[in-house]
Amino acid sequence: MKKKNNLQAKMIYKLLASLLILIILVIVIVPSAGISLFLSRHVSYQETPTTGHALQGIYKASDYGLSENVHIFETTDGESLWCSEITAERPKGVIIYLTGIVQPSITYFYSHAAWMKENGYSSLLLEVRGHGKSSGKQIGFGYTEIADVQAAVDYIHSKEEYSDVPIVLQGVSMGGAITLNAFGQIPEISGCIAMSPYASCEDELELLMVNYHIPSLIRIIERPLLKQTLKWLYSSDQVETLSPKKQIQNANGRPVYIVSCKNDDSVPVKNAEILKEAYPQAEVWIRDSWEHFILKDCNFKDMKQDTEYCKKILLWIETICNKK
């Protein structure tokens, strides 16, 4: 009888040990594998958006009565980038627009470009690597797209009509993170508007796990695992140095505008607080709303309906460009 009980106890211990190993493997392997698969792809858009990605459609410049100059920029690391240039006569500045990890497509910023042209500004709608008509089989996640922004800045510097014209970056979500990383690395950029940016990939994961009430032990395990996964995908140097909360400190007095929404459940507003702490000179606007993409009702098609947004953004850009 005693032997039988000992045998049952051993079986239970083995079962519990196996279960514990399985749980650890799920915690360690599944998130890392999921992130790798998610980032190792090219994001395509289509005329009719799919359910769950309602902002993945495609607009045309002509939809807004605009004529455009379409460019293909070559980056120093071999990517080819699609870019639409909307020009204003005697521009007061040039705005480079950058968008999110899977949506909206950069063509949703044609409404911004039309609005900015009315106010005397030219625009570049830059489709970063791994998206739409640009090349790339990997989403850069804010690490590799600095070269994309540099290619656009180089183009601006090559044009006589843009001589001594201020350059402003404006990006949303991952585009906001790219904006801050590029701003920290490219001193020729005059100012940047980062909408719903994450402070770092690790901070973003931590804050999301806190919001979803993930136990602290799992949070402690996952943070370094994410960092290591990113180092496998990109490079150790990029992951260690190219976080928005580090690069914002390279602004060196240049103006930064951080815009977030109080109830954003995709990029928690705490990210904005971390960035403000890293660069106290930054101006921060926290909207009392839920929209991750900042615009009221995510209405990119007719963004001028959001009069508060337009007033604040235009005033900030005017202030920057009038100082130049």
Side-chain angles (χ1 to χ4, degrees):
M1 186 71 176
K2 189 175 181 180
K3 285 185 177 182
K4 184 176 180 181
N5 289 338
N6 287 340
L7 182 61
Q8 288 178 337
K10 286 181 180 180
M11 290 179 64
I12 291 172
Y13 290 146
K14 285 182 179 180
L15 181 62
L16 290 174
S18 299
L19 184 60
L20 180 60
I21 292 171
L22 179 61
I23 291 171
I24 292 172
L25 287 174
V26 168
I27 292 173
V28 172
I29 295 175
V30 172
S32 297
I35 290 168
S36 297
L37 289 171
F38 181 75
L39 295 174
S40 301
R41 61 173 176 146
H42 185 99
V43 178
S44 298
Y45 303 108
Q46 52 192 357
E47 296 290 346
T48 304
T50 58
T51 302
H53 296 294
L55 300 178
Q56 284 193 328
I58 301 173
Y59 287 101
K60 300 176 183 176
S62 58
D63 293 335
Y64 294 89
L66 298 170
S67 58
E68 65 181 341
N69 300 317
V70 173
H71 306 284
I72 301 297
F73 298 148
E74 302 295 333
T75 68
T76 54
D77 57 350
E79 299 295 352
S80 298
L81 312 175
W82 182 92
C83 182
S84 172
E85 178 187 20
I86 308 297
T87 60
E89 188 175 352
R90 296 181 182 177
K92 296 183 286 185
V94 184
I95 318 300
I96 301 175
Y97 289 108
L98 303 164
T99 190
I101 191 165
V102 295
Q103 64 179 7
S105 79
I106 195 62
T107 64
Y108 280 72
F109 279 93
Y110 277 125
S111 57
H112 278 72
W115 169 63
M116 291 309 296
K117 182 175 182 177
E118 291 173 7
N119 287 282
Y121 294 88
S122 294
S123 301
L124 294 183
L125 278 61
L126 180 63
E127 194 152 59
V128 296
R129 65 186 62 200
H131 292 75
K133 296 179 182 178
S134 293
S135 68
K137 297 180 180 180
Q138 183 187 63
I139 297 169
F141 217 25
Y143 296 114
T144 59
E145 296 95 345
I146 294 170
D148 302 358
V149 176
Q150 184 66 67
V153 170
D154 290 344
Y155 167 76
I156 292 170
H157 285 159
S158 74
K159 304 297 288 184
E160 185 177 347
E161 58 266 36
Y162 294 142
S163 178
D164 296 323
V165 168
I167 301 170
V168 176
L169 294 183
Q170 182 173 351
V172 64
S173 193
M174 184 184 77
I178 297 169
T179 290
L180 292 171
N181 282 345
F183 193 59
Q185 291 289 302
I186 307 174
E188 303 96 316
I189 300 171
S190 301
C192 75
I193 303 170
M195 305 196 303
S196 302
Y198 42 84
S200 73
C201 294
E202 303 96 295
D203 287 319
E204 167 67 355
L205 176 65
E206 173 80 15
L207 293 170
L208 285 175
M209 288 194 293
V210 169
N211 280 4
Y212 285 103
H213 308 291
I214 303 298
S216 59
L217 177 60
I218 295 178
R219 300 204 306 269
I220 291 170
I221 294 171
E222 287 295 349
R223 190 178 178 102
L225 287 174
L226 171 65
K227 196 167 188 175
Q228 186 57 56
T229 299
L230 293 172
K231 287 181 179 180
W232 289 332
L233 289 169
Y234 307 106
S235 74
S236 293
D237 183 61
Q238 287 173 323
V239 174
E240 290 292 346
T241 62
L242 297 179
S243 68
K245 71 178 181 182
K246 289 182 179 180
Q247 290 304 315
I248 196 174
Q249 297 176 57
N250 293 333
N252 295 323
R254 290 175 294 158
V256 175
Y257 196 19
I258 299 168
V259 187
S260 295
C261 286
K262 184 178 179 181
N263 299 311
D264 182 358
D265 60 6
S266 296
V267 177
V269 71
K270 180 68 176 177
N271 283 280
E273 297 173 15
I274 295 171
L275 291 166
K276 175 67 173 178
E277 184 177 350
Y279 188 63
Q281 300 97 312
E283 184 177 346
V284 178
W285 172 32
I286 306 298
R287 299 198 82 171
D288 188 13
S289 63
W290 58 269
E291 289 95 341
H292 171 59
F293 296 109
I294 303 299
L295 279 167
K296 186 177 180 181
D297 299 325
C298 297
N299 186 10
F300 280 87
K301 185 176 181 180
D302 190 9
M303 48 79 64
K304 288 194 293 184
Q305 293 294 318
D306 191 340
T307 54
E308 181 188 34
Y309 170 87
C310 290
K311 182 179 179 180
K312 284 182 174 289
I313 296 296
L314 183 60
L315 177 62
W316 194 87
I317 290 175
E318 292 277 8
T319 302
I320 300 312
C321 292
N322 287 339
K323 286 181 179 179
K324 190 73 175 179

